[in-house]
Amino acid sequence: MSNKSVALNTQNFNHSTERRGARCIWLTGLSGAGKSSVAQAVAEQLRSGGKQVFVLDGDTLRRGLNRDLGFTEKDRAENVRRVAEVSRLMSDAGLLVIVAVISPYMRDRAFARSLFQSGQFMEVFVDAPLTICESRDVKGLYAKARAGVIPHFTGIDSAYESPISPELHLQTDLRPLEQCVSDVMAMIEK
Ligand code: ADX
């Protein structure tokens, strides 16, 4: 790489990090806890207020960018690393990024946080008990996991490490979607 391009990249970096404090809202939680629903509803509300928002959703990304990855601990770490790096790039481009991935391991979420300045990364624990997620079973995956058809399923035979001090803890089994969205909006606007 030439000196010129190094200088240019440094300039881009400084410019973007000092800029407007573009942020990343990181939704973590079990499959079926409501991450995608909250992400889409919050994005809609922010867009209607004129904000430029992009949602990075695990299910969607696993059909493209991350389609080579499975659900072992190593693959999930790589999945989360890629999503985190993309979210950082998008926030550098001025977008408010909402990420919705299970991201079950604390160290992978800590890595994602490490890419952002303090206050720019907001971890939201989208929480519902496993029994509730399993009873919702929107995609029919819990039934398959219980039947042994899908191995390493989060909450069944693969761990989920709950956040200890997320910026926000949403209990989606206790609060309707609109209230969860209001909670996220209040956090963003604080
Ligand atoms: S993560 O653990 O690597 O963060 P990610 O959010 O990208 O997961 O993808 C989770 C989605 O993949 C789930 O919502 C579900 O639809 C699907 N899925 C397929 N197999 C599994 C599995 N073994 N564990 C969890 N989710 C799975």
Side-chain angles (χ1 to χ4, degrees):
M1 196 186 277
S2 71
N3 285 345
K4 195 174 165 199
S5 58
V6 169
L8 189 64
N9 286 339
T10 309
Q11 188 187 26
N12 281 343
F13 182 78
N14 289 339
H15 176 67
S16 58
T17 49
E18 281 164 18
R19 218 177 3 99
R20 320 154 237 187
R23 282 175 291 177
C24 175
I25 315 299
W26 189 281
L27 308 182
T28 172
L30 294 174
S31 180
K35 299 181 297 299
S36 300
S37 306
V38 171
Q40 291 303 341
V42 168
E44 206 169 294
Q45 194 150 325
L46 287 165
R47 283 188 192 115
S48 68
K51 292 250 179 353
Q52 301 231 300
V53 187
F54 199 89
V55 175
L56 290 170
D57 190 282
D59 276 317
T60 312
L61 292 167
R62 279 177 173 278
R63 289 197 288 271
L65 177 67
N66 295 335
R67 72 172 165 220
D68 56 322
L69 300 174
F71 289 89
T72 61
E73 205 170 322
K74 189 164 164 250
D75 277 5
R76 288 181 201 253
E78 176 60 11
N79 182 50
V80 169
R81 187 191 70 78
R82 289 183 198 171
V83 177
E85 294 284 3
V86 171
S87 67
R88 171 60 210 256
L89 291 171
M90 287 185 156
S91 77
D92 280 355
L95 295 166
L96 198 158
V97 185
I98 305 177
V99 172
V101 284
I102 297 178
S103 45
Y105 302 116
M106 274 183 201
R107 67 167 178 273
D108 300 334
R109 297 194 300 266
F111 169 76
R113 185 184 288 274
S114 76
L115 298 182
F116 291 84
Q117 290 189 335
S118 164
Q120 289 186 319
F121 182 92
M122 284 168 248
E123 186 177 24
V124 179
F125 181 19
V126 183
D127 184 19
L130 177 65
T131 46
I132 301 282
C133 297
E134 202 168 348
S135 68
R136 291 176 183 159
D137 207 8
V138 186
K139 302 172 221 163
L141 297 177
Y142 280 101
K144 287 187 182 158
R146 287 286 183 199
V149 178
I150 304 179
H152 311 296
F153 201 85
T154 309
I156 307 292
D157 57 352
S158 186
Y160 178 79
E161 297 170 358
S162 299
I164 290 168
S165 49
E167 274 73 10
L168 183 64
H169 182 180
L170 293 177
Q171 293 182 283
T172 59
D173 57 320
L174 303 178
R175 282 166 80 70
L177 180 63
E178 309 81 68
Q179 281 178 24
C180 292
V181 172
S182 302
D183 291 348
V184 177
M185 293 299 295
M187 175 191 74
I188 294 171
E189 281 155 9
K190 219 170 12 181

